[in-house]
Amino acid sequence: MNTNTDQFLLDSGFWGWLYKLLTPVEWLMTQIMAIFHKFLTLLGMPAVGTSWVLSIIFLVIVVHACILPIFIKQMRAMRKMQALQPKMQHIQNKYKGKNDQASKDAMSRELMKLYQDNDANPAGSCLPMLIQGPVFMCMFYVLSAIEYIAKGKRAPLGAFDKATAQQFADSSNFGVNITTRFMHADTHAKIIIGIFIALMCFFMWLMQFYNMRRNLPRASMQGQQYRMQQAMTWMFPIMYIFSGLNFPFAVLIYWLTNNVCNFLRSLWQIYTFPTPGSPAAEDKEIRDHKRENARRKRAGEPSLEEEQLQKAKDDAARRETEGYQRKQPKRKKKK
């Protein structure tokens, strides 16, 4: 990313223009890091060292906590759209092969009415991603910029003036300075950075692998598309190995923490909002069944099985009383 150590490349070209627009978010992140750092020093930790590393970790956790409500909203929007899929397909089949404008407009109106009646938004599952992306880009930018602020090669940013940035840049963890890159590190630092890169890629792979095994409908676990997904599960982590070699250690600390948080959030999502028809959804049905029976037992109500058995007995008794022949509708008497 930064081949010239005297120039911060993220401040030039298209990226420079984009990150300029995101300056308010970047400013806020520097303030959050500075607040955590001040709190840790008040607890007795040295101003230079692990306190800054923990401030990076706390920043990631705060950002994930702020994004969690958006993520939950995204999951609920996706579930609503999945529940409406059969009705949407019915409308689409109704107008299949009709390419005239009147038919297209009619299909659009029916789909919009379906969304409105069910309080569903097709963009609801995409909008949160548009919010999350820039937030994590800003985290990457801030941690990359501090090194250049310390050298006086970039203007101060938020809570990081040159003195504060220098304090950050002098910090080390596991015997590795947090501005060190793999290519310019000694043997000890390369081993530590290599472990962080390996863990970072492992958690990324584990999240994708677990999602494929647990949260895909069984019908989707075959065919060319599934094989492509399997290949991508390995491809992305391998690609990030080469990226990690060029990033300062501070960015790797952020990235590893972020991937661990993403993995934990993915576990929670698959447990709470599984995809219908997936192994995780089948397990959730069993859990929900057991919980409902436990609730009924505490309330002194019949279990689901007992209720179903009683219903079957009532149906059998009704058939015995009314007979098995279907009753013919009676004609209304003419007045």
Side-chain angles (χ1 to χ4, degrees):
M1 180 187 66
N2 300 308
T3 54
N4 187 347
T5 56
D6 292 330
Q7 182 185 7
F8 187 42
L9 298 183
L10 289 179
D11 274 343
S12 60
F14 169 77
W15 294 111
W17 172 81
L18 178 60
Y19 282 116
K20 197 75 173 177
L21 294 177
L22 298 172
T23 299
V25 181
E26 297 157 9
W27 180 91
L28 179 60
M29 288 183 172
T30 64
Q31 299 297 334
I32 293 172
M33 285 183 64
I35 290 170
F36 274 118
H37 178 259
K38 187 175 293 186
F39 174 72
L40 291 170
T41 55
L42 287 174
L43 292 179
M45 295 188 70
V48 178
T50 308
S51 56
W52 278 117
V53 175
L54 291 176
S55 297
I56 296 172
I57 295 172
F58 284 138
L59 173 62
V60 178
I61 294 172
V62 167
V63 170
H64 272 272
C66 292
I67 287 178
L68 185 60
I70 302 172
F71 181 76
I72 293 173
K73 186 176 180 180
Q74 176 189 5
M75 290 298 101
R76 287 175 175 165
M78 288 177 62
R79 292 299 170 262
K80 282 186 178 181
M81 292 303 296
Q82 288 172 344
L84 291 178
Q85 198 65 37
K87 293 181 179 179
M88 291 167 56
Q89 193 170 8
H90 174 75
I91 294 172
Q92 290 165 351
N93 290 337
K94 180 179 174 181
Y95 294 97
K96 189 176 182 180
K98 298 179 181 179
N99 297 318
D100 58 287
Q101 191 60 41
S103 297
K104 291 179 180 179
D105 291 342
M107 184 176 74
S108 296
R109 284 195 301 271
E110 289 192 35
L111 287 172
M112 286 303 297
K113 187 175 186 309
L114 180 66
Y115 299 148
Q116 291 171 0
D117 292 345
N118 293 274
D119 192 27
N121 182 3
S125 60
C126 302
L127 185 61
M129 294 300 296
L130 298 178
I131 299 173
Q132 293 177 44
V135 169
F136 288 110
M137 286 173 61
C138 289
M139 293 176 65
F140 172 75
Y141 176 87
V142 167
L143 293 174
S144 300
I146 294 173
E147 176 185 359
Y148 293 85
I149 297 171
K151 294 177 181 177
K153 303 296 182 180
R154 191 201 183 281
L157 176 62
F160 283 90
D161 54 18
K162 186 175 181 180
T164 307
Q166 186 63 57
Q167 190 183 71
F168 178 94
D170 289 341
S171 297
S172 298
N173 201 41
F174 299 107
V176 182
N177 183 276
I178 58 178
T179 63
T180 302
R181 289 175 174 80
F182 183 86
M183 298 301 181
H184 306 106
D186 57 26
T187 303
H188 170 78
K190 283 183 176 179
I191 292 172
I192 298 299
I193 291 173
I195 291 172
F196 269 71
I197 293 173
L199 289 172
M200 175 187 82
C201 294
F202 170 74
F203 277 102
M204 179 182 291
W205 170 83
L206 186 60
M207 180 182 70
Q208 295 174 339
F209 177 80
Y210 187 80
N211 187 69
M212 284 187 61
R213 288 297 180 95
R214 300 287 302 152
N215 205 37
L216 282 181
R218 294 191 184 276
S220 302
M221 295 182 182
Q222 56 187 343
Q224 182 65 26
Q225 186 176 359
Y226 180 66
R227 286 193 290 273
M228 287 180 64
Q229 286 179 299
Q230 285 181 311
M232 296 299 284
T233 300
W234 291 95
M235 189 177 300
F236 278 115
I238 291 173
M239 287 171 57
Y240 280 113
I241 290 175
F242 299 101
S243 299
L245 296 176
N246 296 310
F247 292 150
F249 189 42
V251 173
L252 297 181
I253 293 169
Y254 141 69
W255 213 341
L256 174 59
T257 307
N258 185 53
N259 284 2
V260 172
C261 288
N262 281 336
F263 173 66
L264 294 175
R265 188 180 66 181
S266 181
L267 290 179
W268 173 81
Q269 173 225 324
I270 293 171
Y271 183 86
T272 310
F273 299 104
T275 302
S278 65
E282 294 171 2
D283 290 347
K284 187 175 186 301
E285 288 179 7
I286 295 172
R287 288 197 309 271
D288 291 346
H289 186 91
K290 289 180 178 178
R291 285 172 183 168
E292 177 61 16
N293 275 344
R295 184 197 67 78
R296 289 175 176 231
K297 184 177 181 180
R298 289 193 301 269
E301 299 173 358
S303 67
L304 290 169
E305 290 79 9
E306 290 170 343
E307 185 179 84
Q308 188 176 7
L309 180 60
Q310 186 60 48
K311 185 180 177 181
K313 289 179 179 179
D314 292 343
D315 288 343
R318 180 178 51 78
R319 286 195 297 268
E320 288 291 339
T321 303
E322 299 177 358
Y324 291 91
Q325 295 298 323
R326 179 176 176 270
K327 287 187 176 181
Q328 297 298 324
K330 294 181 180 180
R331 293 183 181 181
K332 290 183 179 180
K333 293 182 179 179
K334 292 183 180 180
K335 294 181 180 180

